Amino acid sequence: MTGMAAIVLAGGRGSRMGGIAKPLLQLGGSTLLGRAVDAARAAGCDAIVVVGPPVEGVSGVRWAREDPPFGGPVSALAAALELVTADWVLVLPADLVSPRDAARALTGAGRDGDGVCLVDDQGREQWLTGIYRTAALGERLATFVDGVEGLPARRMVHGLRVGRIEAGAAAAADVDTWDHLREARRRVAAGTETTMADSSSRTLPPEALDAWGAVLRDRFDLSEDDLPISLILDLARDVANGVARPAAPFSAYVAGLVAGRAGGSPEQVRAAVAEITRLAAEHGDE
């Protein structure tokens, strides 16, 4: 396909994950943002606009930001659309688990109207994962004379002729919570055929530590919530990628120390882990 640009939406608050910068989370050896940008390139997009704070190491893209920041995904899309000159625009959220699957499904669909969007496995339209005729989308957004800040995505396409593509759960899946991230990492790891002979780089699934976790819980009278194996492993992985491998166990200790001083509840553990993960992502950009 020719005459297609891409907009990658990467400026959300990540509120359901403690305010972390979700696009910088690691999945399959890359960040979520990097995977989305790579998917846009693989789809043949002539230009890529990323909406969100600029990130070092992401090259060959233009950066945009809605005004005010965090004005919602439609506001972000409108800001980026001003930089698009292609006839069609591929829209991808930066938190998709499999952006290549999403882009492949969208670019492979016929477009007789103003665009197409993905439908998830629950039958819900994912208006922000789609391909749209640039002119039609721009004209629709221009009708909101009071601006598009906070506008629901469904109103963005009201009146447009948008087809629906049922591409399956994998193509529409995104990362909204820590559980989503853990599941995505398990799926990516399960689909990896690489053997890791070097034990220093091996990543074990949480299930491999269940027996050891049971021993610790029994010895120290801990509940399962007191020992969140998956959460700790994800923290170690993100810190190892963002800072350095030796920083991972040290950071896990700090998370426990901080949570313990705050009261030691599962919620306080998750908050401490989220903050350390955020700091690790920022440290990796320096």
Side-chain angles (χ1 to χ4, degrees):
M1 174 189 285
T2 59
M4 181 174 68
I7 294 175
V8 178
L9 303 173
R13 293 182 184 274
S15 56
R16 294 178 66 186
M17 299 181 75
I20 191 172
K22 286 197 299 180
L24 302 184
L25 291 172
Q26 294 282 327
L27 179 63
S30 180
T31 63
L32 292 176
L33 174 58
R35 290 166 65 89
V37 169
D38 288 345
R41 288 201 179 102
C45 293
D46 300 322
I48 302 172
V49 182
V50 179
V51 190
V55 176
E56 291 185 9
V58 180
S59 60
V61 305
R62 299 185 68 180
W63 297 92
R65 197 72 166 116
E66 71 274 23
D67 185 18
F70 306 115
V74 178
S75 181
L77 182 60
L81 203 63
E82 296 179 3
L83 303 178
V84 174
T85 58
D87 292 336
W88 293 88
V89 59
L90 169 67
V91 181
L92 294 174
D95 62 354
L96 286 175
V97 174
S98 303
R100 288 205 180 207
D101 288 343
R104 189 178 299 113
L106 291 166
T107 56
R111 290 178 303 283
D112 297 326
D114 296 316
V116 292
C117 76
L118 284 193
V119 175
D120 67 16
D121 58 338
Q122 302 298 315
R124 297 168 298 199
E125 291 91 351
Q126 303 299 304
W127 304 114
L128 298 171
T129 307
I131 293 180
Y132 297 101
R133 193 184 300 276
T134 306
L137 191 57
E139 290 169 4
R140 171 58 183 163
L141 293 176
T143 65
F144 296 96
V145 294
D146 294 329
V148 294
E149 182 180 355
L151 189 75
R154 67 180 182 278
R155 293 192 59 195
M156 172 187 78
V157 297
H158 182 73
L160 300 184
R161 296 169 297 159
V162 179
R164 277 72 164 171
I165 303 297
E166 295 183 1
D174 59 7
V175 176
D176 275 339
T177 67
W178 292 108
D179 285 340
H180 290 168
L181 181 61
R182 286 190 285 272
E183 177 59 25
R185 284 171 169 166
R186 279 194 288 269
R187 285 170 46 192
V188 170
T192 300
E193 298 179 357
T194 304
T195 58
M196 298 183 180
D198 181 1
S199 62
S200 66
S201 64
R202 187 180 178 190
T203 301
L204 292 174
E207 303 80 48
L209 294 180
D210 283 348
W212 177 237
V215 171
L216 294 176
R217 287 195 298 270
D218 182 65
R219 172 62 181 82
F220 297 106
D221 192 25
L222 302 171
S223 69
E224 289 192 7
D225 284 342
D226 290 329
L227 191 62
I229 295 175
S230 297
L231 187 66
I232 295 169
L233 290 180
D234 288 343
L235 169 65
R237 182 186 299 113
D238 290 331
V239 171
N241 287 328
V243 184
R245 191 176 301 277
F250 174 72
S251 300
Y253 172 83
V254 171
L257 181 63
V258 171
R261 285 180 174 177
S265 72
E267 291 75 17
Q268 287 157 340
V269 171
R270 286 192 289 269
V273 167
E275 179 63 12
I276 292 174
T277 304
R278 182 188 68 80
L279 292 172
E282 291 182 350
H283 187 87
D285 292 336
E286 294 178 355

